[in-house]
Amino acid sequence: MELSELIKEMVATPSPIRQIMKMASRQNIINMGLNPDEIISYGGGWVGHHPPEELREAYEEICRDAEKFHDAGKYSPTLGFDECREAIAEMEKELFGVKLGIENIIVGQSSTQLTHDLFITLANPGDKILLFDPTYANYPGQIKMALRDAKIVRQRVLDVERWEYKSEEEMAEDFKEIYEREKPKIVLFPSPDNPSSQVFGDKFVKTIADICYEGNSFMIIDYAYKTQCFITPPSYFSWSPSDYPNMIAVHSNSKWGRGLGRRLGWVDASPDVIDAMERVQQCSILCPDTMHQFAFLAYVKRALQDGSLKRYLEEVKEGYRKAAKLTIEAIKEYLDMPCLVPQGGLYTLMKVGEDSDEFVKRVLKNTGVLFIPGKGFGESLKEAVRISYGPHVENIDVIKEGFKRVAEYLGKS
Ligand SMILES: Cc1ncc(COP(=O)(O)O)c(C=O)c1O
């Protein structure tokens, strides 16, 4: 049996995050002589809050009625239902002031799938893609899968000595230099970021947008955590494709609506990009899920009208802000290792001052506490771990407990 060259290469370089999550599987934990029920995991890149009750009811309404359920089984148009795209446009306007028409929106299965389709839509296999270091660990594999030999160019955004993100001015200068040298076709970054939970500033993002516009490149912002921004939102959160025709925003209801395994994604961009993506999506998924669009549409229309969407998002955000604060306080109290203060999202990065693959294995075996080693996010994190408070947001007492255990093991308490 002979698999493709591409997949043989990809299997030979597995995602480091998946590997560590496998190491922390129930059976492996038992094999290590630990009790799986006593594991405290800071590994999960997901949210733990509940979805809006009214969204659950929207699904219930469809399921209760035989005809509605039947209708929810039909194919959707490739771009998504017009009504759903209208509701997304309304939601973006109401929440962030983004001006969109349905011609600016394509609905897809998730931001993972849409990002894959964007690579196919925007770049050729020999092009360069600029990613930050650190950045979301899935991008390099996705680029390889979609574009084979595309070259990934990295821009360091973290000052490893000071354990702080560089100033906006410094990042902008670095960007200009790298862009001039490499001429990337796409610049892609999340904001709020995974794994750092930093929100990139207006000056830096405007520099990227202007340079990409002049140089005919695309700037893609991954907004997986847009509604979980703890600081005053930067002004680019409200930019529209009419402001920057080469700016593309990728969205998902994985994180805000706790739709991780029940999700929809969408892209907003200029109509040319949307038209091109329609052709790509015909080949990748044919069309987005109808049931999720119907439920989302029913929920969002109502929740925008009665103001409950804003209230829900505000409550959710407060929950994560509180969990983030508690995490930082617990790290200071028990471990006193340098860590980043989250500005949004689900994570912090902690500098451990030794090879983090080894650190994570040692800590897991001896304490039953799981961190994610940083290397998968970029070289700058080879001596750091990603700590996620996301899964614990409804059970924040557990956050402290893990750090206490690790401190005891490291002889810090
Ligand atoms: C930055 C970022 N983008 C995209 C995703 C995946 O999004 P989706 O669930 O819509 O595929 C994640 C998930 O963790 C993420 O952190």
Side-chain angles (χ1 to χ4, degrees), residues 45 110-112 136 139 190 194 222 224-225 252 254-255 260 263 347:
S110 63
S111 42
T112 304
Y136 178 43
Y139 293 150
N194 174 6
D222 179 340
Y225 305 93
S252 163
S254 264
K255 302 297 188 312
L260 304 151
R263 67 206 195 277
Y347 316 100

Side-chain angles (χ1 to χ4, degrees), residues 188-232:
L188 164 63
F189 58 92
S191 189
D193 184 42
N194 174 6
S196 70
S197 275
Q198 302 301 291
V199 175
F200 294 100
D202 272 325
K203 259 194 233 153
F204 179 42
V205 174
K206 186 155 181 5
T207 304
I208 301 174
D210 287 338
I211 292 179
C212 284
Y213 182 66
E214 282 157 27
N216 241 335
S217 307
F218 293 99
M219 175 179 81
I220 308 179
I221 306 184
D222 179 340
Y223 279 130
Y225 305 93
K226 191 174 187 181
T227 61
Q228 283 130 340
C229 177
F230 310 148
I231 60 172
T232 308

Side-chain angles (χ1 to χ4, degrees), residues 9-22:
E9 263 181 60
M10 293 195 64
V11 170
T13 49
S15 143
I17 297 169
R18 286 282 140 223
Q19 275 178 306
I20 192 77
M21 293 307 265
K22 268 189 202 163

Side-chain angles (χ1 to χ4, degrees), residues 86-98:
E86 265 159 26
I88 287 171
E90 250 182 75
M91 176 171 134
E92 287 282 341
K93 181 156 173 268
E94 176 73 16
L95 297 180
F96 300 105
V98 185

Side-chain angles (χ1 to χ4, degrees), residues 159-176:
D159 181 328
V160 177
E161 290 305 311
R162 288 189 292 129
W163 209 249
E164 271 174 22
Y165 263 52
K166 295 184 181 182
S167 71
E168 281 202 70
E169 288 73 19
E170 204 178 340
M171 285 197 259
E173 282 311 307
D174 290 352
F175 179 78
K176 283 182 201 160

Side-chain angles (χ1 to χ4, degrees), residues 109-347:
Q109 183 267 340
S110 63
S111 42
T112 304
Q113 171 259 324
L114 288 161
T115 303
H116 172 89
D117 285 9
L118 275 170
F119 290 139
I120 306 268
T121 307
L122 307 176
N124 292 309
D127 283 336
K128 294 178 180 173
I129 317 286
L130 193 151
L131 304 177
F132 295 156
D133 184 339
T135 197
Y136 178 43
N138 212 17
Y139 293 150
Q142 287 188 282
I143 292 170
K144 186 157 183 64
M145 176 79 82
L147 296 172
R148 306 240 164 174
D149 295 322
K151 184 176 169 214
I152 296 171
V153 180
R154 294 278 197 157
Q155 174 178 344
R156 291 250 181 164
V157 282
L158 173 66
D159 181 328
V160 177
E161 290 305 311
R162 288 189 292 129
W163 209 249
E164 271 174 22
Y165 263 52
K166 295 184 181 182
S167 71
E168 281 202 70
E169 288 73 19
E170 204 178 340
M171 285 197 259
E173 282 311 307
D174 290 352
F175 179 78
K176 283 182 201 160
E177 202 185 302
I178 297 174
Y179 186 91
E180 194 51 44
R181 193 175 63 233
E182 305 284 355
K183 297 276 186 319
K185 186 71 192 290
I186 297 174
V187 179
L188 164 63
F189 58 92
S191 189
D193 184 42
N194 174 6
S196 70
S197 275
Q198 302 301 291
V199 175
F200 294 100
D202 272 325
K203 259 194 233 153
F204 179 42
V205 174
K206 186 155 181 5
T207 304
I208 301 174
D210 287 338
I211 292 179
C212 284
Y213 182 66
E214 282 157 27
N216 241 335
S217 307
F218 293 99
M219 175 179 81
I220 308 179
I221 306 184
D222 179 340
Y223 279 130
Y225 305 93
K226 191 174 187 181
T227 61
Q228 283 130 340
C229 177
F230 310 148
I231 60 172
T232 308
S235 67
Y236 64 85
F237 273 28
S238 63
W239 288 356
S240 309
S242 52
D243 300 317
Y244 280 102
N246 59 328
M247 180 192 75
I248 295 165
V250 188
H251 305 265
S252 163
N253 54 16
S254 264
K255 302 297 188 312
W256 69 263
R258 219 276 180 181
L260 304 151
R262 187 183 47 234
R263 67 206 195 277
L264 282 179
W266 64 93
V267 158
D268 61 69
S270 65
D272 288 355
V273 172
I274 300 299
D275 288 349
M277 283 197 75
E278 181 179 17
R279 183 70 189 96
V280 177
Q281 192 156 274
Q282 274 162 8
C283 300
S284 63
I285 59 167
L286 190 60
C287 64
D289 184 286
T290 299
M291 176 79 148
H292 294 327
Q293 284 186 82
F294 280 6
F296 173 83
L297 171 62
Y299 165 66
V300 165
K301 265 171 78 172
R302 258 180 252 158
L304 278 173
Q305 253 167 25
D306 65 15
S308 61
L309 179 63
K310 270 196 165 166
R311 274 198 306 279
Y312 172 76
L313 293 176
E314 204 48 48
E315 269 167 35
V316 169
K317 181 165 70 180
E318 280 316 303
Y320 288 100
R321 190 202 301 274
K322 202 166 156 195
K325 187 164 173 280
L326 230 128
T327 304
I328 301 302
E329 284 169 2
I331 291 174
K332 288 228 159 71
E333 180 179 350
Y334 292 106
L335 297 175
D336 201 24
M337 288 174 170
C339 62
L340 299 179
V341 177
Q343 297 177 329
L346 312 179
Y347 316 100

